[in-house]
Amino acid sequence: MTLIIAYVFIFILAATPFLEVVGVIPIGAAAGLPVIPVTIFSFLGNIATILLLILLMDQVKAWMQKRREKKGRAPSQKRAERAERLWKKFGLPGVALLSPFLIGSHLGAVLAMGFGGTKQQIAIWMTISVFSWSVLVGIGSYYGIDFLYNQTGREGFLVDLLEVD
């Protein structure tokens, strides 16, 4: 049961904007959870909210605009400028592939819609991107964390916490 709760937690973390698979997978591996299920649940959590965001993009844009007006704040210029430079240089594939690491995949999807990508194109490229990052980070975490644990003789902070003497 504890393992199910851990994977649900991984799914929720990955589904949270700005907590990308790039960060969640190594955390899950460092916790001592098997990397393959962590990678799968992280991918599913991250892509689920991205696809939901794309599907509900018009409503999200209206909500974000109301929220900004209510708080009297302008959107983050630094991230928007970075995304615009990516868009001009690499187009939709570049924004999709680089956003999980540079600006966040959720923001990347929103900005891609703002720059003129279609929902279908954005969904395809974001899925390719999140899947690719998940596999790369999963492989890196598997070998990196495994090496770390072999050097330290530990099994992960979650395993250590759950151990009963």
Side-chain angles (χ1 to χ4, degrees), residues 11-165:
F11 180 91
I12 292 169
L13 280 177
T16 305
F18 305 112
L19 296 179
E20 305 296 324
V21 293
V22 175
V24 175
I25 293 171
I27 290 170
L33 297 170
V35 175
I36 291 175
V38 165
T39 302
I40 292 168
F41 281 99
S42 294
F43 168 76
L44 292 173
N46 198 216
I47 201 64
T49 53
I50 292 168
L51 294 176
L52 186 62
L53 181 66
I54 292 168
L55 183 66
L56 301 172
M57 188 59 68
D58 298 329
Q59 293 88 343
V60 171
K61 282 182 183 178
W63 173 78
M64 287 172 60
Q65 182 64 30
K66 278 185 189 176
R67 188 169 174 237
R68 274 194 296 269
E69 289 171 1
K70 185 178 178 182
K71 291 187 174 189
R73 280 196 235 164
S76 171
Q77 291 298 73
K78 185 177 179 182
R79 285 187 179 182
E81 288 169 4
R82 190 180 309 162
E84 188 172 2
R85 281 194 307 272
L86 285 173
W87 185 267
K88 287 180 180 176
K89 191 169 186 176
F90 301 109
L92 176 57
V95 169
L97 292 170
L98 296 174
S99 65
F101 191 73
L102 296 178
I103 60 173
S105 55
H106 297 85
L107 181 59
V110 170
L111 292 172
M113 287 293 280
F115 292 131
T118 68
K119 288 181 180 186
Q120 183 179 9
Q121 291 172 326
I122 295 168
I124 289 168
W125 277 106
M126 292 307 291
T127 301
I128 291 169
S129 172
V130 173
F131 179 79
S132 300
W133 278 108
S134 296
V135 170
L136 287 172
V137 173
I139 291 169
S141 295
Y142 178 80
Y143 288 108
I145 301 296
D146 188 46
F147 175 77
L148 178 68
Y149 288 158
N150 285 335
Q151 296 299 311
T152 63
R154 297 188 63 180
E155 296 180 39
F157 65 83
L158 185 61
V159 173
D160 294 342
L161 287 173
L162 297 176
E163 263 185 14
V164 180
D165 292 324

